[in-house]
Each structure stands twice: as C-alpha cells, then as structure tokens.
Amino acid sequence: MSYQAPVDDIVFALKSAAGLDSALANGLYEGLDAETIRAVIEEAGNFGAEVLAPLNWSGDRQGCKLKDGVVEVPAGFAAAYRQFANGGWSALPCPEAFGGQGLPEVVSMPVCEIWNAANLAFGLCPLLTQGAIDAILAGGSETLKATYLPNMVAGKWTGTMNLTEPHAGSDLSIIKAKAERRSDGTYAISGTKIFITYGEHEMADNIIHLVLARLPDAPAGTRGISLFLVPKFLVNPDGSLGARNDVICAGIEHKLGIMASPTCVMQFGDKGGATGDLVGEENKGLATMFVMMNQARLAVGVQGVAVSERATQRAVAFAKDRRQGRASNVKDGSSPIIAHPDVKRMLLTMKAMTQASRMICFATAGAIDVAHRAADPASRAAGAHRAALLTPVAKGFSTDAGMEVASLGIQVHGGMGFVEETGAAQHLRDARILPIYEGTNGIQAIDLVTRKLPLEGGAVVAALIKEFADTAAKAKASNRPEFGRMGERLGEAVEALQDATQWILGNLAKNPDDVLAGATPYARLFGLTSGASYLAKGALGEQDAGSSHIAVARFFAENILVQARGLATSVISGAGTIASISAEALSA
Amino acid sequence: MSYQAPVDDIVFALKSAAGLDSALANGLYEGLDAETIRAVIEEAGNFGAEVLAPLNWSGDRQGCKLKDGVVEVPAGFAAAYRQFANGGWSALPCPEAFGGQGLPEVVSMPVCEIWNAANLAFGLCPLLTQGAIDAILAGGSETLKATYLPNMVAGKWTGTMNLTEPHAGSDLSIIKAKAERRSDGTYAISGTKIFITYGEHEMADNIIHLVLARLPDAPAGTRGISLFLVPKFLVNPDGSLGARNDVICAGIEHKLGIMASPTCVMQFGDKGGATGDLVGEENKGLATMFVMMNQARLAVGVQGVAVSERATQRAVAFAKDRRQGRASNVKDGSSPIIAHPDVKRMLLTMKAMTQASRMICFATAGAIDVAHRAADPASRAAGAHRAALLTPVAKGFSTDAGMEVASLGIQVHGGMGFVEETGAAQHLRDARILPIYEGTNGIQAIDLVTRKLPLEGGAVVAALIKEFADTAAKAKASNRPEFGRMGERLGEAVEALQDATQWILGNLAKNPDDVLAGATPYARLFGLTSGASYLAKGALGEQDAGSSHIAVARFFAENILVQARGLATSVISGAGTIASISAEALSA
C-alpha cells in the first residue's frame, strides 16, 4: 500500500501544539513563513512517498547480510540514500556554518516523521547521523567540527552512537570499553559495543562512530566516562580518507523488525586500538551524550508517530475496501467494514492516538526551538524546561502508542493481518523496538518523575498543567454541542494529573520506591492528558462543526482519556503494593 | 529457556474459579478426585516440558515447507505427535464410547494450557482435531461417528475446520464453496478454503476436514450453509484407507507467528469434486459448527493464558539474572533488575493478567462441566447459560492479555528482547493471531453484548454480577490489612459493570449502533471485573498473609482494575460519538 504524507494533519498539529502561528508572528523563525514550511513538508512528503516508501516492504523481506566484515543493505537503499543526501535532506536541521539549512525543529521533526513513516529502517540512518552531528556540535573542538561536520551534514558520511555493551544496556555506569591516551593527542579505543544501528554499511564513504569509553585512571561509575569520535576511515589533514581504522563489524543481529537497518556488533581495537579523538572533556562524556540523546529521544517519539500514521493509513484503506457483514443502515448486500461501529472504534483509536502523539512531539519540538531561538534568556530557559519536561512524555507515550496502533492495524485486517504479505504485521514488528531503544519507556517514566517534575521546584510542570486546565475551561465554556463531553473529560483528567503530580512531588524524597513504582502509570496519565489537551486546543480553533479534527479530539476525550482517574488512583494508592512484594514472591 | 508447568497455580485457579472442591464433593466428577486431577496435570506438565517445549524455538526457526502438495513440518514434530497420541493425550476429553478417557473440561483445559504454553504451534493440531471431533459428536450420524471418531480420538487421524474463504472471513453468510448431491448419498465438494490450520501434513495417517459449503438449492445467507466431512483419504467399509480424495493443499501462508503450524490454502474438487459426507442436516451446518466453535473459543482463550504463562516465566528468569543499576536498599554493585520497582510492576502485571485470564477460562470450563454433568436439568441449564456468557469473555480477554503480556515480556528484556534468539519475541508473534482467529475479539465483544447479556432477560448476567458483588463485600468485610484496597476497588468495578450492563440492556433495541460501538470497552470491563473477582475469591481462601496469591490479587485490583470506571464511562457516554462519525470523515 502506498504512503501519503499527511501534510494537513502535520500543519494542523504544528499550529495547535507547537504554536507555529504565534511563533512566526513573534519572529522566532526569522526568514521563514508558513507557506515555506508547508512547501518543505510537502516536498519531503513526495520524496518519502516516491523514493523511500517503495523500499519499505522489499527492505523488510531482504534484510541485511554480513560478509567478511561488509554489510550489504537491501537493494535500492544505497541509491535512495544518495538521492536523499543529494537532495539536501540530511542538511536540513544543521547549522549553516557547516553547510546546513538551519531549519528549526518544527520543520525537521515533521520531515523526520515522513522519512520514518515511509521507511522506518531507512529513517534510522539519518536519525543516528543527526545524533552524532549534535554530539559533535555540543562537545567537539573547532578542529573536529571542521573536519567532520561538513561531510556529515552533506550526507557523504553517516554517524553512529556506541553506548551499549553486552553487560551494560540501561546502566551505562558499568561500561568497560577502554581508551588509552596516546602521545599525539589521540586515544586508542578498544572494546565491544552492541546494538549499533548502521554501524557498518557501504551507503556512504565513511562512518563516524561516537563511542563511550573509559580512561585507565577514570573514576568508577558515570563520572568516569568519556566520549570519543572514531571514524571508520581515518581522515587525512587535507580532508581525504586515509587508512581503515581498527574497528570492524563482528556480527549483525537477527531481529524482530527494522530488518533493513543493520544492527551491528562493533569490535574496536582488535589490532591494538582504534584511533579516536576526544569529544568534550575527559570523564565528562555522558553529559555530551545526553545532549544528543534528548534530541534522539524526541526523534524516536516521532518514529512512534510515524509507524502509527503508516499503520492507520493502511488500515483505513483496507477497511474501505473489505466487505463483510451489513451495516445497520443498509438494506442489501455487504458493507465495507469501515461502516461497522466496532471497526470504526478501532480506526478512530488509531487516528486519535496518532494525532495525540504527533501533537505531543511537535509541542516538544516547538519548545526546543524557543530554547534555541528566543530573544530573551528567560524565554529560552522556559523553552528548555518545557522541552526537558515533555521529552520523556513524547518518547514514551508516542512509542507505546505506536505499538498499540500497529497492533490495532493488524486487528482491522483480521486473518489477513497475520499474513506478512499484507504488510500490516511489519509495522508491529518495526514498532516493537521503539519503546526500548534510546532509553526504555520505563526509564523515560523514571526520568519524568524523578528529574523533570522537580524542575524549578515543580513550577515547570505546574505551568504546563495550568495550560491544560485553561484549555479544558475553554472547551467547557464554549458550549459547542459537537464537543460533546470533551471539556468535562479534559477537566477531570487535568484534576487527576494534578493530584498524581502533587502526590509524586510530595513522596519523591520520602518514598522513592513508591514513586518509582508509579512512574509508568503516571507517564501514561501525563501523555493522555497532554495529547487530549493539544487535540482540544486544535478543536477550539476549528470553526466547522463537522471538522474531523473536532470528532477525533472528542473521541479521544470521551473514550481514551477516561482512563485518567484510574491511572492516578494506581499512582497514588496502588503503587504501594509493589514495593511491599519481594522479588522472591514474584518469582514463585 | 525451559518451561515448567505451573501446576500449583493451575490447581489454585481450578479451586478458586471453577469451584473444583465443591463440584467434587457434589459428585459432579464421578470417579475422579483432587489427587487424580493433579496427577494428570503434572504428567501433562512433564510431557509438555520434556517433549513439546524443546521443539518450540526450533519449530519457529524452521517453519513449514510445501513441496508438490506435501507439507513438511519442522524436525521432531511428527515424532512428538506420535508420542502424544500414544500417550493417550488426544483421547483425554473424548467420550469413552469412542476410546476416550471422558475427562471433564476442568482437566482438559489445564492440559490444553500446558500443550500450548510448551509449544503453541504444536498445540493447534490437537486443538483443531478436538474441534472436529466435537462437530462430529454434535451432528454426525452413528455411522460417521463409528467410522471416524475412534481413529481421531486415538490421535491416528487429525482434524481441521474449513470455514474461511478469500472473500468470506468473519462473514460466513457469503461463502461460495459448493456441495452437489450424488446418487450414493455422498456429496461432491468444491471450492477454496483459506487459513486452514494443519490442513495438510504427514504427522498422521489421515486428515478429516470439516467443511462448510452450500448446496445448489440452498437459501441465501447463513440459513443455506451445510457442514460436510471430507477426509484426505477415503475410508473403506472395513476401516482401511482408500483412495486420495479430491482435495489438495495449494499453498501455505507466510505468517507473523505460529510458524511451525502449517496454515493452508485448501483446494477442494479440482478433479470433479471431493467426496464428502453430510454432518447433521442440510442447510443447518452453521448450528453444528457453532457447537464446536464455542468449545474452540474457550480453547483459544486458554492459548492466551498459555502464551502469557510462557512469556512470564521467561521474563522472570531473565529479570532475576540480568543485573543493571542498583536497587534503593542496596549499597554496592549492581542489582538484578527484578529488584527495580518499575520492572516489578511489569512482572506483576504479567503474572496478574496471566492468572486472571486463567481463572476466567477455568470458570468457563467449570460451567461447561456443570452443563454436561449436573444431575438436575435446572443446574445443567444454568451451567450452559453461565458458559455461554463467559465464553466470549474468556476468548477475548485472555487473548488480549496474551498480547499485552508477551509485549511486556519483550520490554523486560530490553534490547535483548528484540533479538529473535532470546525467544521473547516469538511469544509476541505467536500471540498476535489469538485475538483474530476463532472469531475476532470484536466479534466476541459483539456476541457478549447482543446475544449473551439478553439471555433469560438479563438474569444470567445479573446472577454472575451478584456473585462478584458478594466477593467484593466479603473482601471488604474481611478487614485484612494484606488485602489493601482490594475489596474497595472490586466494589467500585462491580458498580461500573452494573451501570454499563444496565445501559447496554436498555439501549440494545433503541440504539443498536451505540451498543455495538461500546462493545469492546464493555467486554474489557467485564473481563477485568471477572478476573479481579476470581482472584479475590482465591485470596479470601488463603490463610497466610504473605501468600503471593493475595499479593497478585491485590495488585490486580489496585493497579489494573482501576480502569473499570473509565471503561464504563466510555461505554455509556463515549460510544455515541462513534456512530455520529461518518466513514468519510474517518478516512479523510
């Protein structure tokens, strides 16, 4: 089934959740206007639909192969990547100083959605490259930037992030990869890294690995981790490529999904040490890595939106075509299944979850833009705080939604959904990694309750909840019949979120284990309320009572958001059970 | 990872939810006692663990192959099936008159769980054979029974169910397969059937296909469907096998999961017509098929329990072994992840959902036994009604739970969960078919609200809810501190279920589309409340305050059942949105 970029929905989400219109009016995006932004998104949509989407299914079927250290990607991927780079797409969000176009997050995140909806396995390559670029920008010396960024921005070289080791996944404090100082100022890197996305391939001339490793005299734990840049091919002073570095791909994983993206075991230093350059300061690598990870977390949230969008398009098309049974208002013959109320519920759930998570992600993107671009420091700080608060919600909620929507997509197809050729199953297989990588969703939830809620003494979260409450009040006050109980339900959810937030802030120091035990339902509550609030804000701006945006916002509030109070109850008075149960009882 | 049958949990569920002790005391299971039942379950557990479980992973990897019409199943499957049949396992629930052991549902469903937990793809073969046996028992002539049942009961021949056609899945009214009367009393069957599980293989000497088809003069729709028995090899009057019948396997599906079970396209009558015998009366095939489907629906629910159990065992074992981070009560080194509150929540959710769905399924099994075995007709009728009411709940809730639990199982493993070799991903792939086949879960929910709630003018559902209310009252009155808020939460859920039930019964005739739109959240509410109620009943019987059964029941009530009121709200005041949205708006 073909993919069509949902340009209208994307622009609607930018206006409703990322405050695009007022940001443009306030001059946040100098040199840009709404028409240009839409035009870029449309052009990306064409590229995604015409070049990337047709490789999605074939890429899944062919997968990657490793032969003598060389990774072969599926047919068509290398050519598509060249077209992608030549089209300037990899340069889109990068600074103009290094050849980029300097476009803001409110453009790059919609475009990121499109690449990943068209072809999630392909989309990972620019996503990781962008992460590596961000890390070099955040911590690299001017020499490193000048040496590596222009080619990475141009898409001639790709990038990777090398964090995980076999014994160290979520827990980076125990990584073992070694870095030894050399007399020439470089470092000799050795060790094994796993789950390295696009760790090896021949789609680009060079691969720039960002690697976490430990110096011999480093303190134990997270305060002894340094970040290094390790290129596949060394770069000569004149910028040409030199010798192969001492890093190889020792294996690729056989995975559930994202088959077309090679997930590599990378072996550094088998021949004495891979040559690496320090990025930032010694022993402070984790801070730089986190700059980049936050950005990548939002991008992974957007991958969730992407897989939801693609699965929804496929399910809607099938439901319009497939005829079974007879709808109540029809006399003869069979009806397309889209006419059946239970199928409608599934499709509406898919649409509503997709749009809610898109809005949360774009709200985060808008906040990042404020953090980077606002004129006054107070606004920049507020933007940074808002982005920090929303990032774990964007990542966690949108990727959980991706799984739910992809699974519903299979269900809409019935038995056909279980047959791989239909294509619906691939979305579920692809989506399943999203709640895991770039920090599991459990870790996102813990980040939200332990680090983000306490920001500015709770003022950051209070300000956001206040906005949600205002939206609820407006929706209620509008008295528009087409809103149904949207305002009422949103008001109830905001109260539930308020109660749970207060409980968490009050118990974080006293009962940390109880707070941790409630982190996941709290994060879900936060995501549902945020999504519903942005949807309602969008609905408030619609004049036409028959707008499908209103219908989706109302459906979300009346049928999905109703989980809010139950989630708050679980946080406030359910989590206590969990800490009291011993691991022994659990494994009995 | 090895599988161990959870014999204690199974017996606990039989006592708590299926009323095993009182049924034994009342003489429902003549000739059986609790020790014998446990012994059979234990022996099945050994067979499952030693013979079937070791073939689960290899079977998934190898899958099935079709060559020249012959299906090759994975290595070891044929030998395991022979052992299975020789061990008398296929005969377990069948009537003694045909060589069976006549054991009740409260034995055969636990044993069914074990086969499917050990190896879901293998378990399908006896599951479908049992369905075919039930259909022949329900509608077959004495000759048919005598000719086919002994070898099927003995496991020498297997059985299939042939319903679906390419254009007719959930909607059987439009099937096109043809049956023409022959002068010798047999019928010539022709047509294409798809999704036929174990439609072709060489594990057994013969395959007995039960096929829905239409006579030339049949009325349109469901009232014109007849059921036929079509053997792969014709059976001679002396019982020996004769010629190959005119039925072939034209293809096998490439699926998301249950790779080791061949899902066949069956072609009947390419050479003039497959020879079939009528089962039951002409044009009344659907009624017979439904007798068998109800039984099969419960068995599929049990498959949900099975996949949940297997995924939970795997996740718990991993979480005890994998060390990341440090738990709050530990000073040095890293902790097994089972010690982290958020991981505990995932594992508890898995355990609680598994046990809740097991209890719902076994409650259904107990009701079927009452329907078949009680001395007085009123008890039998009450059992039949209770079974009819619970069957769609057992199928729908348990298979949705299977997906949720299998997905959480991957999440517990982190990145390793996405790697196929770990084994966790297979459970998700296998589980995904369960909410679809044997009637999609949407159809189960619709069956529940439109056909089962109105039974006896609502008295059947009222009696069950009354039982749940009694359990809630007892849990509250017990004032046991280890119960936490279990009684309170169950009471709230029962009220929500009551409200939603009343709304549905009141709107079924007036607003059928609104009822249909609320069917899925209603079914979920029903499942959650039933599961919580049976878990609470089990907890009430535990004397030891530290019982893990109490902890699981409390966790379920305080953290999962809290969704109840939100679901009722969605049913009562959310579903109305859905009918008002046009298919056009949905697909915009």
Side-chain angles (χ1 to χ4, degrees), chain A residues 99-117:
Chain A
Q101 301 177 36
L103 287 170
E105 293 293 315
V106 293
V107 181
S108 72
M109 284 302 133
V111 168
C112 175
E113 177 192 322
I114 289 169
W115 308 148
N116 284 286

Side-chain angles (χ1 to χ4, degrees), chain B residues 446-488:
Chain B
I446 291 169
D447 176 52
L448 177 64
V449 296
T450 61
R451 280 187 289 266
K452 303 305 171 61
L453 292 197
L455 281 174
E456 302 286 302
V460 176
V461 67
L464 185 62
I465 295 179
K466 172 81 171 53
E467 282 185 24
F468 298 162
D470 289 348
T471 303
K474 273 185 206 154
K476 256 190 274 192
S478 74
N479 278 325
R480 291 171 66 172
E482 66 271 22
F483 281 13
R485 294 184 177 80
M486 181 167 69
E488 191 183 336

